[in-house]
Amino acid sequence: MPFTFDQKIFDDIEEDHDKWQGKLKSIFSKRPERLERFSTVSDTEINQMYTPEDIRTQDFGKDIGFPGEYPFTRGVQPSMYRGRLWTMRMFAGLGSARDTNLRFHHLVNAGQTGLSTAFDMPTLMGYDSDSSKARGECGKCGVAIDTLKDMEDLFEGLPIEQITTSMTINPPASVIWAMYIAMAETRGIDRKIIGGTIQNDMLKEFVAQKTFMCPPEPSVRIVTDTIEFGTKEIPRWNTISISGYHIREAGSTAVQELAFTLADGIAYTEKALERGLHVDDFAPRFSFFFNSHLDFFEEVAKFRAARRMWAKIMKDRFKAKDPRSWWLRFHTQTAGCSLTAQQPYNNVVRTALQGLAAVMGGTQSLHTNSLDEVLAIPTEEAATIALRTQQIIAEESGVANTIDPLGGSYFVEAFTNRMEEEAFEIIQKIDDMGGMLSAIEKNYPQLEIADAAYHYQKQIDNREKTVVGVNKYVIEDEEIPVEVLEIDEELEKIQIEKTNRVKEQRDNRKVARSLERVAEACAGEENVMEYLIDAAKEYTTVQELCDVYRKVFGEYRDPGIY
Amino acid sequence: MVAKPGLDGHDRGARIIARAYRDAGFEVVYTGLHQTPEEIVEAAIQEDVDMIGMSSLAGAHKYLFKSVVDMLKERDADDIVVCGGGIIPQDDIDMLKAAGVKEIFTPGTTLDDIVTWVKTNVKPR
Amino acid sequence: MKNIVEKVVSGDIRTVARLIRDIDDGMPEVRDVLKDLYAHTGNAYVIGITGAPGVGKSTLVDQMIAHLRKRDKTVGVLAVDPTSPFSGGAILGDRVRMQRHSMDRGVFIRSLATRGHFGGLTQSTRSAIDVLDAMGKDYILVETVGVGQDEVDVVRSAHTTAIVVIPGMGDGIQAIKAGILEVGDIFLINKADRDGSDKTYTDLKLMIEMDQRKYDEGTWKPPILKAQAVFDIGIAEFIQEIDRHAAYLESTFGGLNIRKQKDMVRQELAEMIKARLLEEVISKLTETGDFDQAVQGIADGKIDPYSACDNLVLPIVGLSQP
């Protein structure tokens, strides 16, 4: 039995532990413990202290091991940050393609090492800037993309053959990706070398982020098309970023974030296998996206548990043989929902701690939120501070100098074990319901999240949970001291004119034909991607293509689960 | 009525506030996501609500909230109180209040405070 | 007065909405309006949709509206959701699933909470049906959660009542109150693609056919349908069955104005009297403080509740103590 500890020492420890508990009892009889309950932001209770007793049966080789070795608890690559730092990838998008292009250049010059694109609501929902649904929304929460022309402007002057691009886009992911590929090919860049990620995770839309277009089944079919296409044609691309971030932002606990995300991953794997793909062909290109929230150690434990769980799922459940299929590679974003509008400079500190947790949890890439996220799209200055936060963690704090520095901590290992156990329980529940698609149809994750969100809000209102500057250390009649970014109201008009010009100049017969071909592929079983790329090259718009999806697959409406 | 106008899908707050209103004894008509201003106004009239609460976290509040206020006026239904919440900077709050939105609840406002405000400021009939 | 009636009959949305609100709030002024409106009722076909939470009633109603609109019929909808017994509040979330019709002028959708106090669900919902009827709606769909006796009574005022279930309810079917099963004119198994759909069908069939003799004599035998409302599967057939039931009612009762049928009238009048009496008595007793006094007396152990009750009620109804 290769336990980490010699089992003989536990008798001694137990004795000392009891003695210490005795001391605590007398201390707290004179003055009670600092809080009535000590729990994480997810309301998981935490012990006063952790000792080897809490990880009595830990097997170093089986449970912890070495980075780059199954089950990857300490990291997916053998060299982790000793070899290469995580990618500093700041989520950015505002106004027009040109505006965002400027922001991209600024961030790259400031030292970021990967691109990440935020789109506006109309684009996210598959509408053009001239749609009646887009009124008032153009460019407001991200960049407005209608055609390939916008895509070309967006990446103007950026070395996309060297730098990877992430695009946070879901229902129209296939369309936007097609435009990106078309843009690269128009520049003469081979599709085999472009690298990046499309979020493309529809399951979590129904559960959390709620940008949806078509019902779950056909949405997942399109996702599977992109996975299949990427596996064969765009080998350096992560065709999906299976996300927990939004699930957490919607109010779930850390365990729920972990469980629902991995359950989504299981569902996508099953669908790809049903399609006839071999697990080792597509699984290495699955990537994940997690939240890094307030409770430092809960997050670190979550990340480590995630890696270990996914490795087990891939190896044992899906019998993947290629070690790269067992890797859970992930991007992290610090928790937007934890930031406050009050005393916004405090947010720099929150983001720093959350970024630190992500790094100590072994993330492959990181976005750190800006201090003004709670007010508007970040200003350039605020985004720069957020990037500097990562750079300071990387270069000054020393935490990246050794791999998995928290490994071996009694607390962290115990917490990692606990996260894994509880998350697997939820996954079992979902399996019993028939899998994630079925669970979503039964509204299980949605209701769990709504309950957790309400519970947390009540805890804040009761002051059980502190939010500095909001329910404690409040400044009365505070004047918010920061400049807020504003999107030009004229932008909508300008963008509509631009797109109209593109439509006039393109060959509309070719556009019509390409739309027909996409419709045929959708109605049948052919993979849609090549047809989308062809359509993109003809300057077909996002909405024209998404309308085909809506027509063939039907539209999904919010069922209003509260 | 608790409504989500526009394309914004962030409904965590809207759903929490709906529950809080229910727990405070109010009857809440929840419209769900992706409502146009027209749909919100029409529903509010059919349901004869005392107040419309809207949430926006994707930046389109200026157009959307104002549209609702304007349309209520057109339909002679401006006795319905309009409130909002979400990611809305101070300048926009001022502009919206001038346009007829009675109150904007910024992030960090407790549920109790919101409920108290409603009880004090929204008279049923 | 006349003004309100005129406005309702002409279809003015705000007036109708406000009137339903006043009815729901128990405003005394509405009685006169309802008296005048009565003459304008009797034209709408009322369909009750009832079933446990989560079976898909709202989605079903949404599809029904679409189908009926295609026939160029106007539709009024009353969606009833339970009031929280703890807070007295309610989240009325049925409308969400029908919102696509909100801009259609031929459709009027109203959410109501059960409220569950004197004169609660039954009477005010019935009156609301009258209002929508007078407003000129061809069809009125009343959606309720069929778990209480109140709800059963509401659906009794409908021409056709559909009970919606989903597969896998298992002992759920047996557990459904017998009263509700009895009022079902049509049974619909929604989400019929789920496991257990055939078993549910068989369970229902057995239950219905226990009364086979009745059907052999010509009474309406409730059909059992399968549907998937969210995909618009089985809805056309459902509407056809409603048509068939309407034809049956027409031929059996010589017309569709159920208000003219003695059974319905008897029941409704009894309900109204009950509600009215309650209203009057309770308000009188609370006004005079007699009610509170009685409560105190019982709490102090000075009098038993039966005697206290008789002391309060008998004088009002003009009877003396036995």
Side-chain angles (χ1 to χ4, degrees):
Chain A
M1 270 185 320
F3 290 141
T4 309
F5 299 107
D6 184 345
Q7 301 294 296
K8 290 192 291 243
I9 65 168
F10 285 111
D11 291 327
D12 290 337
I13 292 182
E14 226 176 296
E15 214 189 298
D16 289 333
H17 199 160
D18 288 338
K19 259 197 254 156
W20 173 71
Q21 288 281 11
K23 285 197 201 148
L24 283 188
K25 216 165 166 196
S26 85
I27 295 174
F28 293 142
S29 66
K30 302 193 192 91
R31 184 182 156 162
E33 231 174 339
R34 175 170 59 86
L35 296 172
E36 258 190 63
R37 254 179 102 238
F38 289 83
S39 70
T40 67
V41 70
S42 303
D43 214 19
T44 303
E45 287 204 37
I46 302 293
N47 298 347
Q48 291 150 336
M49 194 185 69
Y50 290 77
T51 70
E53 297 163 293
D54 295 291
I55 50 171
R56 219 178 248 261
T57 54
Q58 199 86 27
D59 177 339
F60 178 81
K62 213 166 60 101
D63 302 324
I64 305 175
F66 281 82
E69 294 281 316
Y70 182 89
F72 308 102
T73 315
R74 310 199 79 177
V76 287
Q77 290 102 357
S79 60
M80 285 303 290
Y81 306 140
R82 288 290 289 233
R84 215 167 49 127
L85 287 170
W86 63 92
T87 307
M88 301 187 187
R89 193 186 290 284
M90 298 293 286
F91 190 43
L94 61 154
S96 68
R98 289 222 179 278
D99 295 331
T100 306
N101 179 263
L102 283 170
R103 181 62 69 95
F104 278 174
H105 277 283
H106 170 82
L107 288 167
V108 169
N109 292 339
Q112 88 166 358
T113 44
L115 295 169
S116 176
T117 320
F119 298 95
D120 69 358
M121 280 317 308
T123 309
L124 290 173
M125 298 289 287
Y127 294 110
D128 289 338
S129 306
D130 63 353
S131 164
S132 61
K133 303 223 180 211
R135 283 223 52 202
E137 311 234 31
C138 185
K140 293 282 166 67
C141 78
V143 66
I145 300 287
D146 293 332
T147 66
L148 176 59
K149 177 87 184 70
D150 293 315
M151 195 59 86
E152 288 163 350
D153 291 343
L154 181 60
F155 291 101
E156 170 92 40
L158 291 159
I160 59 164
E161 66 277 20
Q162 290 158 23
I163 197 172
T164 53
T165 302
S166 173
M167 295 187 283
T168 298
I169 186 94
N170 293 280
S174 49
V175 172
I176 295 290
W177 192 29
M179 283 188 185
Y180 186 88
I181 297 167
M183 182 258 316
E185 292 191 325
T186 316
R187 280 211 213 168
I189 302 173
D190 188 341
R191 53 168 69 170
K192 300 275 180 232
I193 66 164
I194 51 170
T197 306
I198 37 172
Q199 194 167 87
N200 197 28
D201 168 10
M202 281 311 298
L203 289 176
K204 66 100 171 37
E205 296 303 324
F206 298 107
V207 171
Q209 185 164 238
K210 318 265 171 104
T211 60
F212 37 61
M213 201 160 68
C214 304
E217 285 273 358
S219 298
V220 173
R221 174 261 160 105
I222 295 293
V223 169
T224 316
D225 274 14
T226 54
I227 294 174
E228 185 182 42
F229 180 77
T231 306
K232 298 188 178 133
E233 293 291 317
I234 323 278
R236 295 190 60 219
W237 198 277
N238 300 315
T239 44
I240 190 171
S241 176
I242 305 166
S243 306
Y245 177 80
H246 319 81
I247 292 173
R248 193 67 185 276
E249 290 291 295
S252 81
T253 63
V255 172
Q256 288 166 342
E257 178 195 346
L258 181 55
F260 293 154
T261 308
L262 296 188
D264 284 344
I266 291 172
Y268 288 124
T269 308
E270 285 173 346
K271 283 290 174 189
L273 291 173
E274 271 172 41
R275 185 64 80 90
L277 298 170
H278 189 267
V279 68
D280 288 318
D281 287 338
F282 62 82
R285 274 298 163 201
F286 274 5
S287 67
F288 290 80
F289 174 27
F290 287 112
N291 194 307
S292 186
H293 213 288
L294 288 167
D295 196 288
F296 188 86
F297 291 107
E298 184 170 58
E299 297 305 294
V300 175
K302 180 186 77 185
F303 299 133
R304 298 170 92 247
R307 275 194 296 270
R308 194 158 73 201
M309 288 175 72
W310 187 248
K312 289 182 184 175
I313 290 169
M314 275 291 128
K315 185 160 188 264
D316 300 333
R317 182 169 174 155
F318 291 110
K319 313 283 186 244
K321 297 278 183 295
D322 184 344
R324 288 174 312 143
S325 298
W326 307 332
W327 291 0
L328 179 137
R329 296 170 306 119
F330 66 101
H331 170 75
T332 308
Q333 174 163 342
T334 58
C337 64
S338 69
L339 304 181
T340 61
Q342 294 78 355
Q343 301 172 41
Y345 289 111
N346 295 343
N347 294 329
V348 178
V349 182
R350 293 189 177 100
T351 300
L353 294 173
Q354 291 162 3
L356 187 64
V359 167
M360 297 190 88
T363 191
Q364 274 58 56
S365 100
L366 179 61
H367 161 93
T368 31
N369 286 330
S370 304
L371 65 104
D372 52 358
E373 295 283 355
V374 191
L375 301 170
I377 293 183
T379 60
E380 217 175 68
E381 293 74 28
T384 308
I385 295 176
L387 178 57
R388 295 281 177 258
T389 305
Q390 292 197 45
Q391 290 159 339
I392 291 171
I393 293 175
E395 317 267 4
E396 294 183 13
S397 76
V399 301
N401 291 345
T402 191
I403 300 173
D404 189 37
L406 289 174
S409 146
Y410 312 122
F411 178 28
V412 170
E413 296 299 352
F415 210 161
T416 306
N417 295 343
R418 183 176 171 177
M419 283 257 143
E420 180 183 352
E421 203 183 301
E422 291 178 6
F424 265 133
E425 269 169 29
I426 296 178
I427 292 178
Q428 183 61 53
K429 242 198 212 139
I430 293 172
D431 279 339
D432 291 340
M433 285 186 204
M436 200 49 166
L437 268 161
S438 198
I440 289 173
E441 203 232 334
K442 300 191 167 105
N443 296 318
Y444 168 67
Q446 297 93 312
L447 285 168
E448 289 287 286
I449 292 169
D451 286 345
Y454 195 58
H455 177 73
Y456 181 60
Q457 186 61 42
K458 295 252 102 168
Q459 288 188 309
I460 291 179
D461 285 1
N462 295 342
R463 307 209 162 156
E464 249 181 85
K465 291 270 173 248
T466 302
V467 182
V468 171
V470 173
N471 66 5
K472 203 172 177 185
Y473 309 121
V474 176
I475 294 179
E476 295 297 341
D477 294 325
E478 188 187 340
E479 287 254 343
I480 306 296
V482 292
E483 280 264 330
V484 164
L485 184 139
E486 280 205 36
I487 303 292
D488 184 9
E489 294 296 336
E490 286 302 296
L491 167 70
E492 194 169 317
K493 235 187 351 184
I494 298 171
Q495 178 67 17
I496 293 175
E497 276 164 19
K498 177 183 182 188
T499 303
N500 285 340
R501 275 198 306 271
V502 171
K503 283 182 175 175
E504 281 162 29
Q505 290 165 2
R506 68 186 185 179
D507 184 339
N508 282 298
R509 274 175 316 153
K510 286 202 178 146
V511 165
R513 259 206 303 273
S514 58
L515 287 172
E516 267 168 36
R517 290 207 201 95
V518 170
E520 276 166 27
C522 288
E525 287 185 2
E526 253 192 292
N527 193 306
V528 296
M529 281 307 299
E530 287 290 6
Y531 298 114
L532 291 175
I533 297 173
D534 290 340
K537 286 182 176 162
E538 301 299 336
Y539 293 91
T540 315
T541 72
V542 170
Q543 184 164 345
E544 282 166 344
L545 287 164
C546 289
D547 280 347
V548 173
Y549 283 166
R550 279 186 269 259
K551 191 140 190 265
V552 178
F553 300 128
E555 277 188 76
Y556 182 84
R557 278 168 288 131
D558 175 31
I561 308 297
Y562 53 84
Chain B
M1 169 165 289
V2 172
K4 286 285 303 172
L7 300 173
D8 174 29
H10 298 97
D11 60 358
R12 172 177 180 172
R15 293 181 298 143
I16 287 177
I17 202 86
R19 285 201 194 191
Y21 285 152
R22 176 200 57 200
D23 290 347
F26 304 156
E27 287 174 355
V28 184
V29 177
Y30 181 60
T31 67
L33 294 169
H34 309 140
Q35 302 298 302
T36 62
E38 294 86 356
E39 286 170 340
I40 293 173
V41 169
E42 185 63 40
I45 291 175
Q46 287 182 17
E47 299 286 351
D48 199 32
V49 302
D50 299 304
M51 177 184 119
I52 299 173
M54 293 182 283
S55 115
S56 161
L57 285 86
H61 45 272
K62 281 199 291 204
Y63 168 72
L64 294 167
F65 288 13
K66 184 162 187 303
S67 295
V68 169
V69 171
D70 292 342
M71 271 183 222
L72 285 171
K73 231 177 262 168
E74 276 169 43
R75 297 283 297 273
D76 235 340
D78 49 343
D79 53 325
I80 299 180
V81 174
V82 178
C83 296
I87 305 282
I88 303 172
Q90 191 58 46
D91 286 347
D92 294 355
I93 293 178
D94 297 333
M95 171 250 160
L96 286 170
K97 278 185 162 172
V101 177
K102 195 98 190 271
E103 186 58 271
I104 299 278
F105 299 111
T106 47
T109 316
T110 66
L111 298 175
D112 279 343
D113 285 345
I114 297 177
V115 167
T116 306
W117 185 93
V118 175
K119 284 187 174 160
T120 318
N121 290 283
V122 181
K123 294 300 168 207
R125 63 188 55 257
Chain C
M1 187 59 42
K2 280 275 158 340
N3 205 4
I4 297 184
V5 174
E6 266 163 29
K7 283 198 170 152
V8 169
V9 171
S10 71
D12 178 65
I13 295 178
R14 260 228 112 175
T15 310
V16 169
R18 177 50 56 91
L19 182 56
I20 293 180
R21 171 92 179 253
D22 288 344
I23 292 169
D24 210 23
D25 285 347
M27 305 295 282
E29 308 89 77
V30 302
R31 296 194 70 83
D32 290 329
V33 178
L34 288 172
K35 285 177 188 165
D36 288 335
L37 268 181
Y38 190 76
H40 299 275
T41 66
N43 305 303
Y45 193 86
V46 184
I47 304 169
I49 311 283
T50 195
V55 299
K57 296 185 293 297
S58 301
T59 311
L60 178 63
V61 170
D62 170 67
Q63 298 287 20
M64 288 171 74
I65 298 171
H67 280 254
L68 291 170
R69 288 300 288 142
K70 266 193 242 154
R71 292 182 181 184
D72 237 348
K73 298 292 178 191
T74 57
V75 185
V77 179
L78 294 171
V80 187
D81 268 326
T83 297
S84 160
F86 304 111
S87 70
I91 296 184
L92 308 175
D94 295 330
R95 195 191 182 99
V96 179
R97 279 160 243 238
M98 310 170 201
Q99 260 298 77
R100 62 167 162 148
H101 300 288
S102 62
M103 298 306 296
D104 181 346
R105 280 302 150 97
V107 181
F108 183 97
I109 300 170
R110 180 51 176 259
S111 313
L112 293 169
T114 55
R115 294 197 179 175
H117 54 70
F118 309 124
L121 171 67
T122 314
Q123 195 45 51
S124 61
T125 312
R126 265 226 195 83
S127 303
I129 295 174
D130 282 345
V131 174
L132 295 180
D133 192 346
M135 188 192 188
K137 294 294 179 239
D138 298 315
Y139 284 89
I140 298 172
L141 310 178
V142 183
E143 179 193 330
T144 63
V145 177
V147 291
Q149 195 56 41
D150 270 357
E151 282 85 345
V152 175
D153 289 341
V154 162
V155 299
R156 279 224 166 108
S157 66
H159 291 90
T160 304
T161 300
I163 313 276
V164 185
V165 298
I166 48 172
M169 279 175 89
D171 2 281
I173 300 272
Q174 272 77 322
I176 293 176
K177 290 177 86 145
I180 291 179
L181 283 184
E182 275 161 25
V183 301
D185 298 309
I186 300 177
F187 289 85
L188 188 112
I189 304 174
N190 195 24
K191 309 193 191 187
D193 50 326
R194 285 206 193 161
D195 280 338
S197 150
D198 289 333
K199 174 149 198 312
T200 306
Y201 185 93
T202 323
D203 285 346
L204 282 171
K205 192 157 180 285
L206 275 168
M207 213 162 283
I208 290 167
E209 286 176 354
M210 288 202 290
D211 279 326
Q212 191 53 44
R213 235 174 351 118
K214 213 166 66 180
Y215 310 129
D216 294 335
E217 288 165 7
T219 314
W220 171 263
K221 180 176 179 182
I224 308 170
L225 301 171
K226 285 187 177 181
Q228 292 172 56
V230 76
F231 298 119
D232 197 17
I233 294 176
I235 312 300
E237 292 78 353
F238 176 48
I239 309 261
Q240 271 164 20
E241 287 300 318
I242 294 172
D243 289 339
R244 201 166 65 84
H245 188 234
Y248 164 82
L249 288 175
E250 187 142 23
S251 67
T252 314
F253 298 107
L256 281 176
N257 194 344
I258 51 175
R259 280 310 204 25
K260 302 238 160 82
Q261 293 162 49
K262 288 245 193 82
D263 279 342
M264 283 292 181
V265 171
R266 186 169 290 131
Q267 197 218 355
E268 193 182 342
L269 188 59
E271 293 282 344
M272 272 195 195
I273 292 174
K274 204 165 57 174
R276 191 77 161 96
L277 274 176
L278 215 52
E279 213 183 290
E280 295 295 328
V281 170
I282 295 290
S283 79
K284 190 167 231 151
L285 290 175
T286 17
E287 243 170 56
T288 56
D290 286 347
F291 187 76
D292 287 326
Q293 255 180 39
V295 169
Q296 192 61 51
I298 299 170
D300 291 341
K302 295 207 185 106
I303 188 171
D304 71 274
Y306 305 97
S307 310
C309 176
D310 281 354
N311 289 348
L312 289 173
V313 174
L314 295 180
I316 293 180
V317 297
L319 296 171
S320 45
Q321 294 280 15

